[in-house]
Amino acid sequence: MTAIPTVTLNDGAWFPELGLGTYNLRGEEGIAAMVAAIESGYRLLDTAVNYENECEVGEAVRRSGVPRDELLVTSKIPGRHHGREEAIDSIKGSLDALGLDRIDLQLIHWPNPSVGKYVETWKGMIEAQQQGLVRSIGVSNFTEDMLTELIGETGVAPTVNQVELHPYFPQGALRAFHEAHGIRTESWSPLARRSELLMEQILRELATVHDVTPTQVVLRWHTQLGSTPIPKSSDPDRQRENADIFGFTLTDDQVAAVSALERGRLWDADPLTHEEM
Ligand code: NAP
């Protein structure tokens, strides 16, 4: 079993340097995949109301036999639940679906600027935290300006901003902003959903140098940037491969060579224009 290192968030909570994405993991097969990941050492499971698998995530937590305090579950408030009261109701709905009495990290899934309620939603999450429904609160897909607005309006900085981040879109400016404000970066689609990324020559070369796989090079790159990747895999062997990245270190030049693959967002999901309800 791989021991995944942890970092401390700005609210004092511990947080793994790598977690499991669960999008599309559903039903008994999905539960089995999540339990296998926990058995391999994963301690962070990333779900959302909109993934329609919170029941499966809660069941995997229970079946794993790992003490509840050693596992972290992330869920996310969808756009249709934005608003102060609505956010609290959404969290209660997630707790019911999960069958758990606490969510460890609650995120706003997308800012949906045309709805204009992400600050109200954030205030609802602060209340939910005070009520003990959630441990840590954060956001997803927020820009620097949106983060500045949340902090200015409430004095509470998100612990985490989960954003599209992979070698084709390294998010240098946003990561620097996070670092300056004590916000942990979390990478969604860290493998660029596989695409052609894993065939890139530089990744194959670095994999040979370190005697690892191109996937492991990419995931180690994320952690060395100071971001927590949440690769999704339904396959226990690939899950183990993805978690086994802490036994080698890329040099600064090698990190820079991976970042040089930058070409921009892959799915046109600019939070200023892309909205999800
Ligand atoms: P991803 O993790 O970049 O890629 C997943 C794909 O890579 C799957 O097809 C998986 O196939 C394959 N894969 C995994 N490990 C592999 C390996 N070692 N070798 C070869 N292929 C491998 O993409 P993602 O699922 O879009 O993103 C990860 C998680 O981020 C999601 O599950 C979700 O939790 C989160 N997310 C959040 C947002 C947001 O807006 N906040 C948006 C998108 C995603 P197998 O399953 O067959 O292994």
Side-chain angles (χ1 to χ4, degrees), residues 21-23 46 51 76 109-110 140-141 162 188-194 198 215 230-235 238 241-242:
T22 73
Y23 182 66
D46 182 83
Y51 299 173
K76 312 188 192 83
H109 204 151
W110 285 89
S140 180
N141 300 302
Q162 184 187 113
W188 63 252
S189 297
L191 302 174
R193 295 182 192 154
R194 207 159 32 179
L198 302 178
T215 310
I230 45 169
K232 173 259 166 187
S233 180
S234 53
D235 177 78
R238 287 193 288 278
E241 174 188 343
N242 296 350

Side-chain angles (χ1 to χ4, degrees), residues 103-116:
I103 291 168
D104 303 286
L105 173 63
Q106 183 69 45
L107 306 180
I108 301 176
H109 204 151
W110 285 89
N112 292 339
S114 79
V115 176

Side-chain angles (χ1 to χ4, degrees), residues 167-168 196-209 212-215 217-218 221 257-258 261:
Y168 292 139
E196 71 276 30
L197 174 68
L198 302 178
M199 303 302 288
E200 292 284 356
Q201 185 60 24
I202 182 66
L203 299 180
R204 296 161 79 94
E205 282 171 23
L206 293 177
T208 304
V209 169
V212 295
T213 66
T215 310
V217 171
V218 172
W221 170 85
V258 177
L261 291 170

Side-chain angles (χ1 to χ4, degrees), residues 1-6 40-43 243-246:
M1 191 178 87
T2 303
I4 296 175
T6 62
S40 296
Y42 288 78
R43 292 295 175 263
D244 185 15
I245 58 165
F246 297 99

Side-chain angles (χ1 to χ4, degrees), residues 12-181:
W14 64 277
F15 193 67
E17 286 193 33
L18 177 136
L20 182 77
T22 73
Y23 182 66
N24 266 337
L25 295 180
R26 295 214 191 92
E28 275 301 320
E29 266 182 39
I31 295 170
M34 295 183 226
V35 170
I38 295 169
E39 283 168 354
S40 296
Y42 288 78
R43 292 295 175 263
L44 170 67
L45 302 181
D46 182 83
T47 182
V49 170
N50 278 350
Y51 299 173
E52 298 179 345
N53 69 353
E54 288 173 306
C55 292
E56 285 93 330
V57 170
E59 187 56 27
V61 166
R62 284 184 291 279
R63 277 195 209 168
S64 72
V66 171
R68 176 68 186 90
D69 281 348
E70 294 177 21
L71 289 172
L72 303 189
V73 172
T74 300
S75 194
K76 312 188 192 83
I77 295 176
R80 63 186 180 283
H81 295 171
H82 278 204
R84 192 170 183 142
E85 287 303 319
E86 292 88 339
I88 296 172
D89 287 346
S90 182
I91 290 168
K92 287 179 178 165
S94 288
L95 287 168
D96 278 350
L98 287 159
L100 301 175
D101 58 13
R102 184 193 71 233
I103 291 168
D104 303 286
L105 173 63
Q106 183 69 45
L107 306 180
I108 301 176
H109 204 151
W110 285 89
N112 292 339
S114 79
V115 176
K117 288 193 191 165
Y118 57 75
V119 174
E120 283 307 299
T121 309
W122 186 239
K123 288 179 181 169
M125 288 167 67
I126 294 169
E127 268 180 55
Q129 187 181 38
Q130 287 160 352
Q131 291 173 20
L133 302 176
V134 301
R135 191 196 63 169
S136 296
I137 53 176
V139 295
S140 180
N141 300 302
F142 272 52
T143 64
E144 291 174 39
D145 286 349
M146 292 167 181
L147 292 167
T148 302
E149 192 182 349
L150 288 192
I151 298 167
E153 291 281 333
T154 65
V156 181
T159 53
V160 164
N161 188 17
Q162 184 187 113
V163 293
E164 178 183 348
L165 202 166
H166 40 69
Y168 292 139
F169 193 49
Q171 294 266 27
L174 187 60
R175 280 190 291 104
F177 181 89
H178 288 168
E179 213 170 297
H181 291 80

